[in-house]
Amino acid sequence: MSMNRSAGVLCHISSLPGKYGIGSLGKEAYEFARLVRKNGFRYWQILPLVQTGFGDSPYQSVSSDSGNPYFIDLEELKKQKLLTKDELKSVRKRESLDYGSLYDERYATLKKAFSRFNFESEDFRAFVKSGKAEEYALFMTAKAVYGGCFSEWDAPLRDHEEDALEALRTEHHEEYLFWQFLQYEFNMQWIALKKECNRIGLRIIGDIPLYVAYDSADVWAHPELFKLDEEKKCIKVAGVPPDYFSEKGQLWGNPIYDWKEHEKTNYAWWKKRFENAFEIYDVVRIDHFRGIDRFYEIDAESEDATKGHWREGPKEKLFEGITGEIVAEDLGVTDDGVLALLNKTGFPGMKVLLFAFDSNPENPYLPHTFNENCVCYTGTHDNDTVAGYCERLNAEELILFRSEIASEMQRLELSVPIGSKPEEIAEALVSLCLASKARLAVIPVQDILGLRNDCRMNSPGKGEGNWKFRLECLPSSKCMRKLRKSIKIYRM
């Protein structure tokens, strides 16, 4: 990892404040970027920018190369005279994130904008011709026209035959252009935001999920790259065995890659995916990195993940010829193979402080045990917030947790006092993260603010209520100034 010793903040676009029901690429995103950079952060980490699918998860998308239309800034569309002032007033104002209402209302608003858009413009025609959104636009057009899962469509369309695609593109041309328009607008707005972030010295860490969703443009357009039957249905699906998060494991349901087919093409699909990622991010985090060494596959008809099998992945061959900065999410079940792959690639892994304090002085998540080539987090989007974790502990457990943090701080010769309230313990763990040996320390915005578990982003294995956290407003100047002082002491 070529970066200097730095600090980053983890906050997804959806979590930004704003009046239109979900965070966007509008003024609040620019204000957030300037706020965190002004106070010493050099990295902003986000979750996948893709259009969400099943369960509203950014890890279950209709297309791995899409941009989420919900993130399109409506105020910018008004500036382009695609929406009127009255139409914006009629968009329901809400602070909480309600995906069901967004689905019902936002696309109707975006259709109004599209109705006024000049899709004969040179820039838009060039975007369509580039093919960047072609698979997505065709897939979403087919979903709009025929509904259901792609495996239920008539065979020629299900099988992605060229004549069927041309008929879809021609007979439903306006619908097809609408989905192209959404990606065009998202792309323009995201590029502008990232350019401004880079201008002020803030780099973006983006996220590539290892797996794609089954009912997606990816699987529909490239079925040969996945373990499917003749009717394009999954034979095997992804997940993880029983672990810290779930006693029955996690049954994700994503299709399993046919790695032998990928190898025949010299991993061309993956190389294109990395190429696209490095166009929109400065650093790429690979989610579930361990699945590249060995992956866990489960029979598609299984009810849970307890009876899966480990299989060999592509290992370092997947990264041959890939340039760019990569962070490996190496959490969960790790073994010598994962460690060997990390060593061969040189990618920094992740260290999560909420995993560190189990009374084992050699726990690999304790800062005194790891080297500089890693990224340290207080927690991730899949964890409790620190304050929320403290709140779940009984009195005896909380005393022990606090004592172990204090001991680790002594090892690093930190003199930061630790209070007894959950938010005070969160503040101490933030200091420990910043003071750690890791080249990069990333703090979730919830832990910066000492928020509880009602502000948690995701609970793995929980089917509902995830991905809804939003900031009511940007962090206060007082809060950020205090953090800036810590960053200056520990990171500069």
Side-chain angles (χ1 to χ4, degrees):
M1 200 174 205
S2 62
M3 65 181 64
N4 296 322
R5 187 172 168 83
S6 308
V9 59
L10 171 58
C11 180
H12 194 35
I13 300 298
S14 64
S15 298
L16 295 171
K19 57 187 177 182
Y20 297 116
I22 191 170
S24 79
L25 305 177
K27 66 176 183 177
E28 290 84 5
Y30 287 82
E31 289 170 355
F32 181 81
R34 291 166 186 147
L35 176 68
V36 298
R37 181 65 193 101
K38 177 183 177 181
N39 287 283
F41 290 99
R42 294 180 181 175
Y43 289 84
W44 177 6
Q45 181 173 332
I46 58 175
L47 303 185
L49 285 170
V50 292
Q51 178 175 319
T52 52
F54 177 75
D56 307 313
S57 170
Y59 296 91
Q60 293 280 357
S61 176
V62 298
S63 171
S64 66
D65 193 32
S66 62
N68 195 333
Y70 293 158
F71 295 165
I72 294 172
D73 177 30
L74 301 183
E75 298 283 354
E76 175 60 28
L77 297 185
K78 183 172 79 70
K79 290 179 184 177
Q80 297 178 34
K81 302 189 184 306
L82 300 179
L83 291 174
T84 68
K85 185 176 180 180
D86 287 342
E87 285 168 342
L88 275 189
K89 284 182 178 179
S90 69
V91 176
R92 190 178 302 178
K93 309 297 190 295
R94 56 167 67 86
E95 300 300 327
S96 61
L97 212 172
D98 183 337
Y99 284 101
S101 295
L102 268 177
Y103 182 82
D104 291 337
E105 298 171 2
R106 184 57 56 88
Y107 285 108
T109 300
L110 293 170
K111 286 259 186 180
K112 290 177 183 176
F114 172 68
S115 70
R116 301 184 181 104
F117 180 70
N118 176 19
F119 45 80
E120 295 296 330
S121 72
E122 185 175 337
D123 286 348
F124 180 66
R125 288 170 68 87
F127 177 82
V128 174
K129 189 176 180 180
S130 74
K132 178 175 175 59
E134 182 69 4
E135 289 180 5
Y136 165 88
L138 286 170
F139 183 76
M140 293 307 298
T141 300
K143 294 287 270 187
V145 173
Y146 300 108
C149 177
F150 82 88
S151 62
E152 301 167 354
W153 298 341
D154 290 344
L157 187 59
R158 178 198 69 189
D159 295 342
H160 206 258
E161 294 180 6
E162 187 54 45
D163 288 347
L165 299 182
E166 183 56 32
L168 183 70
R169 192 183 293 111
T170 303
E171 294 171 15
H172 305 282
H173 195 57
E174 186 170 327
E175 186 72 27
Y176 164 80
L177 288 178
F178 170 66
W179 297 105
Q180 290 275 10
F181 160 75
L182 295 184
Q183 293 306 299
Y184 171 78
E185 285 291 339
F186 174 91
N187 189 62
M188 296 288 287
Q189 291 189 17
W190 172 253
I191 288 173
L193 175 60
K194 182 180 179 294
K195 184 177 180 180
E196 174 62 12
C197 289
N198 291 166
R199 186 191 70 80
I200 63 175
L202 190 66
R203 303 182 76 207
I204 302 294
I205 303 175
D207 203 309
I208 286 187
L210 177 62
Y211 293 116
V212 299
Y214 168 62
D215 190 20
S216 67
D218 304 280
V219 180
W220 176 56
H222 305 280
E224 72 283 358
L225 300 179
F226 302 87
K227 293 186 178 182
L228 308 178
D229 63 20
E230 292 182 356
E231 295 181 345
K232 305 297 188 292
K233 295 181 180 178
C234 288
I235 298 171
K236 303 287 184 179
V237 295
V240 290
D243 61 8
Y244 170 86
F245 292 113
S246 174
E247 63 180 15
K248 290 189 176 182
Q250 298 176 48
L251 183 63
W252 297 335
N254 306 77
I256 290 289
Y257 294 111
D258 187 333
W259 287 115
K260 290 182 179 179
E261 289 298 318
H262 282 271
E263 188 174 16
K264 289 177 183 178
T265 67
N266 194 27
Y267 304 99
W269 183 85
W270 267 98
K271 288 183 178 179
K272 181 63 176 176
R273 198 176 178 200
F274 278 119
E275 181 183 323
N276 292 339
F278 283 114
E279 285 180 2
I280 61 173
Y281 306 131
D282 297 301
V283 180
V284 169
R285 189 196 84 125
I286 302 177
D287 187 65
H288 196 57
F289 179 81
R290 78 101 48 248
I292 297 170
D293 175 60
R294 289 194 307 144
F295 59 92
Y296 193 70
E297 68 175 24
I298 308 151
D299 288 342
E301 64 270 16
S302 297
E303 294 182 359
D304 59 42
T306 56
K307 296 182 179 180
H309 300 278
W310 289 102
R311 306 296 185 200
E312 294 297 313
K315 305 182 188 297
E316 65 270 19
K317 290 184 292 186
L318 185 63
F319 303 108
E320 291 176 0
I322 301 297
T323 58
E325 293 184 66
I326 290 175
V327 172
E329 186 273 287
D330 57 337
L331 307 176
V333 179
T334 57
D335 53 29
D336 290 343
V338 179
L339 297 176
L341 183 58
L342 275 173
N343 185 56
K344 288 176 182 177
T345 60
F347 300 154
M350 290 174 55
K351 302 294 183 181
V352 178
L353 295 187
L354 278 177
F355 297 160
F357 304 101
D358 61 357
S359 300
N360 173 12
E362 298 305 316
N363 183 307
Y365 295 107
L366 288 168
H368 81 268
T369 69
F370 52 75
N371 61 32
E372 294 180 355
N373 191 36
C374 64
V375 181
C376 184
Y377 296 78
T378 51
T380 74
H381 64 272
D382 283 331
N383 293 119
D384 289 325
T385 67
V386 175
Y389 178 82
C390 293
E391 201 170 38
R392 289 200 298 110
L393 301 177
N394 62 38
E396 183 178 342
E397 291 169 334
L398 185 62
I399 290 172
L400 180 60
F401 181 60
R402 182 172 174 271
S403 173
E404 290 186 346
I405 293 173
S407 296
E408 186 64 14
M409 295 178 84
Q410 286 179 350
R411 288 191 185 100
L412 297 186
E413 299 181 350
L414 301 186
S415 58
V416 178
I418 305 178
S420 57
K421 296 179 180 178
E423 59 270 24
E424 293 172 336
I425 296 175
E427 187 176 327
L429 210 60
V430 167
S431 294
L432 185 57
C433 186
L434 292 172
S436 73
K437 298 177 183 178
R439 190 162 293 137
L440 175 61
V442 177
I443 316 297
V445 71
Q446 294 97 318
D447 290 340
I448 289 173
L449 298 172
L451 301 177
R452 310 298 173 93
N453 272 348
D454 58 343
C455 297
R456 179 173 174 161
M457 194 62 165
N458 181 46
S459 297
K462 179 182 174 184
E464 297 180 353
N466 294 318
W467 317 109
K468 290 188 173 184
F469 165 67
R470 292 194 71 198
L471 292 165
E472 293 181 359
C473 60
L474 293 178
S476 69
S477 297
K478 180 180 179 181
C479 167
M480 296 304 290
R481 280 197 302 270
K482 189 173 184 180
L483 198 56
R484 181 181 184 179
K485 183 178 180 181
S486 294
I487 292 173
K488 188 172 184 179
I489 292 172
Y490 301 126
R491 292 272 114 190
M492 305 302 269

